[in-house]
Amino acid sequence: MSVAHPPAIDTSYLERLREELQDDDPDSGDAIAELMGLFVKNSARLEAEFNEALDLGDLDALADSAHQLVSASAWIGALRLSGIARLVEDEARRGVFASAQTAVAAAVEEISRVRQALERLEAAPR
Amino acid sequence: MSDVGGATSSLAACRELVARLAAALEQGLPEAAALDQALADVHALGAELARARGGASAGVTAPEVEAARPVILIVEDQEDNRVIYRRTLRKHYELVEVEDGESAVEQVRALLPRLVLMDISLPLMDGLEATRLLKGDAATAKVPIVLVTAHAMKGNREEALASGADDYLTKPFSPSGLRELVQRFIPAGD
């Protein structure tokens, strides 16, 4: 039985954030586009850091990288990914390698979903 | 790191102001007149530098010298979080950004900002340690510090407040919530 995931990006959250940020500085370009660009760049780095930390068995480094992903994903409305990143951080801080590894696999899968969703959002007319 | 450069420029402006003030006092001007003279000199210098560097945003600018807007020190090593701070606050506040706890301690001592928004997880020195240092120093103890973290684990808030922080904020926060928090420490018109 397949499990239906919620949308990778909560677009209503993104729109609220866009309105709040643009309301304050209407001439400074699209803040959400800037955050999305940063996510694409940073998530690739964090994914590589996850794999390296697991290879080395360095759960402190894994927790630190997961911590960054918690907010990086939340800012672009990737709330499910943010929750998974919290799980990775918690398991890594608890020092439980096997469950941290499982959570990382879920995070990597979700990062891929989020990137695809971002590509669709960028391609969609606004 | 242009904003760090901005802080350096502010420091340079402060040093210049002190030097000009000393020179004006040596000329025998009364204190108030000497201060006015020194401010005018540094203001003119800042404008000249900005023109020479090709824009108002470069180097020492009149707003920095005049300190017309309250200074907030942002201590955050993640660019996406800094984007949110900038977009939310730069219209009304002078933002100085640094990326680690050691630089935060240096900048608080140098600038005495009206507020510090500091992440807990930082390179070189974490936000908790930086807060303990600053709150333990009589020269900086009164500078309000809000500690920020992305992951509110049980006990984080208590640990943050025990370090001496004045408040605690969890990411992601709403821009309006951040503005409200800042206004609690820097009331409008203050």
Side-chain angles (χ1 to χ4, degrees):
Chain A
M1 190 178 76
S2 66
V3 178
H5 291 316
I9 305 280
D10 181 338
T11 50
S12 61
Y13 171 90
L14 264 191
E15 282 311 310
R16 284 198 305 276
L17 185 61
R18 189 195 303 274
E19 283 171 18
E20 281 208 56
L21 291 173
Q22 287 198 332
D23 180 51
D24 199 38
D25 197 347
D27 299 325
S28 60
D30 185 358
I32 302 303
E34 189 175 0
L35 290 170
M36 286 178 174
L38 285 168
F39 175 84
V40 170
K41 186 177 80 173
N42 292 334
S43 61
R45 172 180 57 81
L46 292 171
E47 201 176 320
E49 288 178 9
F50 286 172
N51 290 328
E52 187 182 352
L54 286 177
D55 287 346
L56 297 172
D58 187 345
L59 292 181
D60 287 338
L62 179 60
D64 289 345
S65 298
H67 184 81
Q68 292 178 37
L69 187 59
V70 172
S71 58
S73 49
W75 288 131
I76 59 158
L79 303 182
R80 183 168 185 271
L81 176 57
S82 184
I84 295 171
R86 281 171 193 262
L87 187 62
V88 174
E89 184 182 358
D90 283 346
E91 294 306 309
R93 297 226 188 270
R94 285 175 55 214
V96 186
F97 185 87
S99 51
Q101 191 173 32
T102 303
V104 165
V108 168
E109 187 182 326
E110 188 65 13
I111 287 171
S112 173
R113 287 184 72 224
V114 170
R115 285 206 194 109
Q116 289 169 26
L118 290 178
E119 285 170 13
R120 287 195 296 273
L121 278 176
E122 281 178 3
R126 196 176 294 155
Chain B
M1 297 293 285
S2 60
D3 295 282
V4 177
T8 307
S9 299
S10 294
L11 277 176
C14 289
R15 289 195 192 99
E16 186 64 28
L17 177 61
V18 170
R20 303 268 175 157
L21 181 57
L25 286 168
E26 277 181 13
Q27 290 169 17
L29 288 173
E31 282 181 14
L35 184 58
D36 286 346
Q37 179 64 50
L39 279 169
D41 285 351
V42 174
H43 185 128
L45 177 67
E48 191 180 321
L49 277 175
R51 275 195 304 276
R53 293 176 190 180
S57 63
V60 181
T61 60
E64 284 182 75
V65 175
E66 290 173 346
R69 303 191 304 169
V71 174
I72 297 177
L73 179 66
I74 306 293
V75 191
E76 170 60 64
D77 62 332
Q78 300 302 310
E79 175 65 11
D80 47 6
N81 296 320
R82 293 199 299 270
V83 166
I84 298 289
Y85 286 124
R86 277 181 218 138
R87 299 267 183 168
T88 306
L89 299 173
R90 67 185 172 191
K91 187 173 178 184
H92 300 291
Y93 306 96
E94 197 69 34
L95 303 183
V96 177
E97 298 176 14
V98 294
E99 298 183 17
D100 64 80
E102 286 184 1
S103 301
V105 171
E106 286 173 18
Q107 290 299 325
V108 171
R109 287 174 175 157
L111 301 173
L112 294 177
R114 292 289 301 278
L115 178 64
V116 179
L117 297 168
M118 179 151 57
D119 196 36
I120 288 180
S121 302
L122 292 168
L124 301 180
M125 179 190 294
D126 70 30
L128 293 168
E129 190 181 347
T131 301
R132 280 191 285 267
L133 264 176
L134 291 166
K135 290 297 183 180
D137 181 345
T140 53
K142 288 184 179 173
V143 175
I145 299 174
V146 176
L147 285 173
V148 187
T149 189
H151 187 176
M153 294 177 75
K154 195 175 179 184
N156 277 170
R157 183 180 180 83
E158 289 72 19
E159 192 179 18
L161 296 178
S163 74
D166 297 85
D167 210 337
Y168 177 83
L169 183 64
T170 303
K171 291 179 283 191
F173 44 77
S174 70
S176 55
L178 174 62
R179 276 191 286 267
E180 285 169 17
L181 179 142
V182 168
Q183 284 164 7
R184 285 211 310 271
F185 290 96
I186 310 174
D190 196 2

